[in-house]
Amino acid sequence: MADTALVDPETGLTQAQLAARHGLRVAGERPSLAEYSRRLWSYRHFIAAYANAKLVASYSNAKLGQVWQVLTPLTNALVYYLIFGIVLAQNQIPNFIAYLTTGLFIFNFTQSAVLAGTQSISGNLGLIRALHFPRASLPLAATVTQFQQLLASMVVLVGIVLVTGEPITLKWLMVVPALLLQAVFNAGIVMLVARMGSKASDLKQVMPFILRTWMYGSGVLYSVSLFERLPGWATTVVQFNPMLVYIELARYSLLEQAPLLNESLAQLWLVGAAWAVLAGVGGFIYFWRGEQEYGRG
């Protein structure tokens, strides 16, 4: 009886067959991965404009405006140098100021992107419910915003590196692909936490603790040679920490005598590229699979 009730008496077709005949689709149906990627690419200008608007708005109430893009990472570097470079006497590392600021600025790129991405869906429900667009635009815009802030931080970092006596070498060019790999990695992680944050609103309260632990395990504030004191298996695990890898690549590129946990530069690049592909592709697919969920409930 249930099946016959769904058959149109005039055509003898079920409701699904009638919908297919007239080209009707389920409202909000998730497109194929290829089609979703195509649509997302068509919204690239929206992503860029939205990222710029968020960046400008974040400093609109400050008297110094976007100057805080430079002042914030610089102030953080000074605070951490006071604690770890002077109070705790960690400055036995050659050019510890440049070593510290490189780690801080690189880690802050991922940290800020993840924190922004956690709320990129839950914090934009009005926009999501009002307009139809690929929802991945929002976490990607959050990543682009933080990448723009990273570029301002890199200007400060280059100045610090030069002032502290590091020479300009061809190795500096290696920081460009390192940052691009990190950006792809960030985009994937941001899409991952964006979907998770859309389901669990408390994630934004927990994330700062997770990121702080991650920072301490990435050799940001002290010499990575300290990890060599860990048991062999633990040292191996630390070597595959993506943030440690991206920080080491940046330090190797900008500093002449930066201590490295992994002496194989080729392995650093392979691990960095592998994490970028794994996080970028995996995060995108994971986010796409939840496309129908966003803004509902």
Side-chain angles (χ1 to χ4, degrees):
M1 293 293 293
D3 290 337
T4 57
L6 299 176
V7 176
D8 182 74
E10 296 183 6
T11 62
L13 300 176
T14 65
Q15 291 180 352
Q17 291 171 331
L18 279 171
R21 169 185 284 188
H22 296 285
L24 301 179
R25 307 183 69 113
V26 177
E29 181 183 31
R30 183 183 68 202
S32 67
L33 186 61
E35 174 63 17
Y36 188 71
S37 302
R38 187 193 66 77
R39 293 182 188 178
L40 188 60
W41 174 251
S42 69
Y43 273 82
R44 62 191 182 277
H45 302 299
F46 165 76
I47 294 172
Y50 188 74
N52 289 332
K54 293 288 285 186
L55 181 62
V56 173
S58 63
Y59 297 104
S60 60
N61 294 325
K63 290 185 178 180
L64 296 179
Q66 294 190 26
V67 174
W68 282 107
Q69 286 184 255
V70 174
L71 291 181
T72 299
L74 188 59
T75 303
N76 285 334
L78 290 174
V79 171
Y80 282 115
Y81 175 70
L82 174 64
I83 297 173
F84 289 89
I86 298 177
V87 177
L88 298 182
Q90 286 290 326
N91 52 6
Q92 68 270 19
I93 300 173
N95 196 355
F96 180 70
I97 296 178
Y99 181 90
L100 173 67
T101 51
T102 301
L104 279 172
F105 289 7
I106 297 301
F107 185 84
N108 187 66
F109 175 31
T110 295
Q111 176 177 254
S112 300
V114 170
L115 289 174
T118 304
Q119 302 182 67
S120 60
I121 297 298
S122 59
N124 290 286
L125 293 179
L127 180 63
I128 290 172
R129 290 167 179 168
L131 300 174
H132 179 69
F133 62 96
R135 308 315 189 195
S137 302
L138 297 175
L140 287 179
T143 307
V144 173
T145 299
Q146 298 308 320
F147 187 74
Q148 291 174 321
Q149 292 191 328
L150 172 69
L151 296 180
S153 298
M154 291 304 295
V155 173
V156 177
L157 179 59
V158 167
I160 292 173
V161 168
L162 289 174
V163 169
T164 53
E166 295 291 338
I168 299 176
T169 66
L170 289 176
K171 286 200 310 178
W172 280 33
L173 296 176
M174 296 173 64
V175 78
V176 175
L179 293 180
L180 292 177
L181 287 177
Q182 186 187 2
V184 174
F185 170 81
N186 286 358
I189 295 298
V190 167
M191 286 188 282
L192 176 72
V193 299
R195 182 179 176 186
M196 294 171 63
S198 70
K199 296 180 177 180
S201 58
D202 288 341
L203 183 62
K204 66 181 180 180
Q205 308 298 334
V206 178
M207 193 57 69
F209 299 101
I210 297 175
L211 290 168
R212 192 174 303 124
T213 303
W214 198 5
M215 180 178 71
Y216 291 141
S218 301
V220 174
L221 308 174
Y222 44 78
S223 175
V224 295
S225 60
L226 295 176
F227 292 127
E228 296 173 356
R229 302 176 187 177
L230 297 173
W233 65 268
T235 303
T236 301
V237 170
V238 170
Q239 285 179 333
F240 288 92
N241 174 358
M243 284 314 305
L244 178 62
V245 170
Y246 295 128
I247 289 171
E248 287 203 305
L249 285 173
R251 284 171 173 165
Y252 177 83
S253 302
L254 298 175
L255 310 179
E256 277 197 314
Q257 302 181 51
L260 299 178
L261 179 61
N262 191 331
E263 298 298 333
S264 172
L265 183 61
Q267 182 175 330
L268 279 177
W269 282 108
L270 284 174
V271 174
W275 272 116
V277 172
L278 180 63
V281 175
F284 180 62
I285 292 175
Y286 177 74
F287 186 90
W288 161 74
R289 290 179 65 85
E291 182 74 6
Q292 292 174 290
E293 307 168 1
Y294 308 129
R296 300 190 176 185

